[in-house]
Amino acid sequence: MKSKINSVGTILAAIEAGEIGLPEIQRPFVWKSTQVRDLIDSLYLGFPIGYIITWQNPDVILKNGTRSIGKKIIIDGQQRITALKAALVDQKVLDNNFKSKRIRISFDPITKQFATLTPAIEKDKRWINDISVLFDNSFSSFKFIPQYAEANEINPDDIAEPIEHLRQLRNNDLGNIVLSPLLNIESVTEIFNRINSQGTKLSFADFVMSKLAFDELYDGANIRRTVEYFSRFLIESQFGY
């Protein structure tokens, strides 16, 4: 194993470019919206948010069914990376019930507080309803800050620094532990399961699905996708007869 330091923005850009993929051992997004809020708050305060673990092996099957040739694979850190994409890039997540949903994190630059979006916050002009707007390529501080200051009858200088500080989150460091490409699939699966026995724990079903995904003898990756599709078929009405 070796360690690297990457910025949050670099990791997100690599995923967007298809340079980093998720293996079949990974599970749906299980974090609560409050956990996403706390992650963004920690980044804003300069607190460490842990690390991700990546591995490179051309024979691993990814969640989209393709093989990982030429790609790095996220073995641990999916929840954090997905949380960052959901909050900063306005991307929907797929929960345990196979439902796509948006997680909107709001920010009050006057008090420097974060919150998950609620109807009350949405009506309060002090709150920036969705911080992803600050990270959009079309965002302009020269337009946004004066407009916000005028709407809230405050000095633009009072909120310029907090907003710009938030926009710099993409430059925060995120540790990356790189597993040796010589490790076999069984060893990496065991690493995944041991790491995830802490924190947001794996359910028995999660554990079975992760083991199933790397069963090459019986084409476990396809079996896992079949099980997930059938589960989605049972839950979602549009998959019915």
Side-chain angles (χ1 to χ4, degrees), residues 37-175:
R37 175 204 63 198
D38 292 344
L39 177 71
I40 299 300
D41 186 50
S42 293
L43 276 172
Y44 186 83
L45 295 173
F47 296 165
I49 62 167
Y51 52 84
I52 63 172
I53 297 179
T54 59
W55 182 47
Q56 198 152 9
N57 184 309
D59 297 323
V60 173
I61 297 176
L62 303 178
K63 289 188 75 67
N64 62 6
T66 64
R67 291 193 177 271
S68 58
I69 299 173
K71 296 185 179 184
K72 295 177 182 177
I73 311 160
I74 295 180
I75 299 301
D76 185 62
Q78 176 204 2
Q79 301 297 313
R80 268 163 294 161
I81 293 299
T82 304
L84 290 171
K85 290 176 68 178
L88 306 184
V89 191
D90 189 22
Q91 179 169 310
K92 290 183 177 180
V93 299
L94 189 68
D95 64 20
N96 275 334
N97 292 319
F98 303 99
K99 300 290 187 181
S100 292
K101 64 178 183 180
R102 276 283 289 115
I103 297 176
R104 291 181 170 85
I105 304 302
S106 304
F107 179 61
D108 181 344
I110 299 174
T111 62
K112 303 178 184 179
Q113 289 183 311
F114 293 91
T116 57
L117 183 62
T118 64
I121 286 177
E122 194 167 15
K123 295 176 183 177
D124 190 338
K125 59 185 178 182
R126 282 182 43 158
W127 288 88
I128 299 171
N129 290 340
D130 187 344
I131 63 172
S132 67
V133 301
L134 303 178
F135 299 91
D136 190 274
N137 290 333
S138 63
F139 177 80
S140 170
S141 297
F142 296 106
K143 293 181 180 179
F144 184 89
I145 292 175
Q147 290 174 355
Y148 178 95
E150 182 179 359
N152 287 276
E153 299 179 344
I154 59 174
N155 189 322
D157 293 337
D158 293 338
I159 47 93
E161 190 279 331
I163 289 177
E164 287 305 312
H165 183 69
L166 176 55
R167 280 173 43 78
Q168 293 304 310
L169 290 194
R170 281 177 168 270
N171 297 326
N172 286 41
D173 291 334
L174 184 61

